Amino acid sequence: MKKFFLPLGAAILTINDGQVLTLSRRYNPQILCFPGGRLDPGEHFIQAVVRELKEETGLIAAPNDLIPLYAGICSGDKQYETDYWVCAFYWAYNQQPILNPESLNPKFVDIDFFLKNAAFKEFSQKTIENAKISNLI
């Protein structure tokens, strides 16, 4: 029997005043995504999302402040040829992101604007829907 493995990733839905924290994609700045990325070997989903958030936005989240929100297959990005199994977390935040050399233009945008321009549409929509169902946004 052939075994099938998906790479693992983590993403974070960060809300501030009803807007979502987004990053621009390197290959197309008009395409937006949540902060996040692949897990390093031996890393837990929460460790990965805290690390990626700091690397990409300069923000530091306490692991205990993160709320598991959604897990599923994330696909649709043109840069990668494979799908990922991604866990999304929610984090309420009330400050502006800090630009650093690795940041990809982090900014808060309206949720509808984000969904219209999301790189991973299905994953993004399900993550936002779960946040709404949970009364987080």
Side-chain angles (χ1 to χ4, degrees), residues 25-64:
R25 304 304 291 167
R26 284 190 178 106
Y27 65 87
N28 184 348
Q30 304 303 316
I31 303 295
L32 304 174
C33 64
F34 298 126
R38 290 184 280 194
L39 273 66
D40 288 341
E43 194 172 40
H44 185 277
F45 287 103
I46 291 177
Q47 293 169 317
V49 83
V50 168
R51 175 183 51 77
E52 289 286 347
L53 181 69
K54 183 178 179 185
E55 288 175 1
E56 296 178 345
T57 69
L59 300 176
I60 299 172
N64 290 342

Side-chain angles (χ1 to χ4, degrees), residues 1 7 9 21 48-49 56 67 70 91 96 106 112 119 121 132 135:
M1 174 193 269
L21 179 62
V49 83
E56 296 178 345
I67 299 171
Y70 175 72
W91 183 43
Q96 289 300 314
D112 291 333
K121 288 204 183 292
K132 288 179 178 178
N135 293 317

Side-chain angles (χ1 to χ4, degrees), residues 4-121:
F4 180 72
F5 296 97
L6 286 176
L8 302 177
I12 187 163
L13 169 62
T14 304
I15 299 292
N16 182 12
D17 289 332
Q19 294 190 314
V20 60
L21 179 62
T22 64
L23 303 173
S24 298
R25 304 304 291 167
R26 284 190 178 106
Y27 65 87
N28 184 348
Q30 304 303 316
I31 303 295
L32 304 174
C33 64
F34 298 126
R38 290 184 280 194
L39 273 66
D40 288 341
E43 194 172 40
H44 185 277
F45 287 103
I46 291 177
Q47 293 169 317
V49 83
V50 168
R51 175 183 51 77
E52 289 286 347
L53 181 69
K54 183 178 179 185
E55 288 175 1
E56 296 178 345
T57 69
L59 300 176
I60 299 172
N64 290 342
D65 292 339
L66 303 178
I67 299 171
L69 194 57
Y70 175 72
I73 294 176
C74 186
S75 60
D77 189 284
K78 296 175 185 174
Q79 183 179 5
Y80 304 105
E81 294 181 7
T82 187
D83 294 336
Y84 285 80
W85 181 262
V86 178
C87 287
F89 297 87
Y90 171 84
W91 183 43
Y93 185 73
N94 59 5
Q95 299 177 27
Q96 289 300 314
I98 302 163
L99 294 176
N100 64 42
E102 288 193 44
S103 65
L104 302 172
N105 192 24
K107 60 185 172 189
F108 285 94
V109 300
D110 179 73
I111 292 171
D112 291 333
F113 179 82
F114 167 70
L115 289 174
K116 180 180 173 187
N117 297 287
F120 308 100
K121 288 204 183 292

Side-chain angles (χ1 to χ4, degrees), residues 112-131:
D112 291 333
F113 179 82
F114 167 70
L115 289 174
K116 180 180 173 187
N117 297 287
F120 308 100
K121 288 204 183 292
E122 185 177 345
F123 181 84
S124 299
Q125 288 170 342
K126 288 181 179 181
T127 300
I128 296 286
E129 286 172 12
N130 282 349

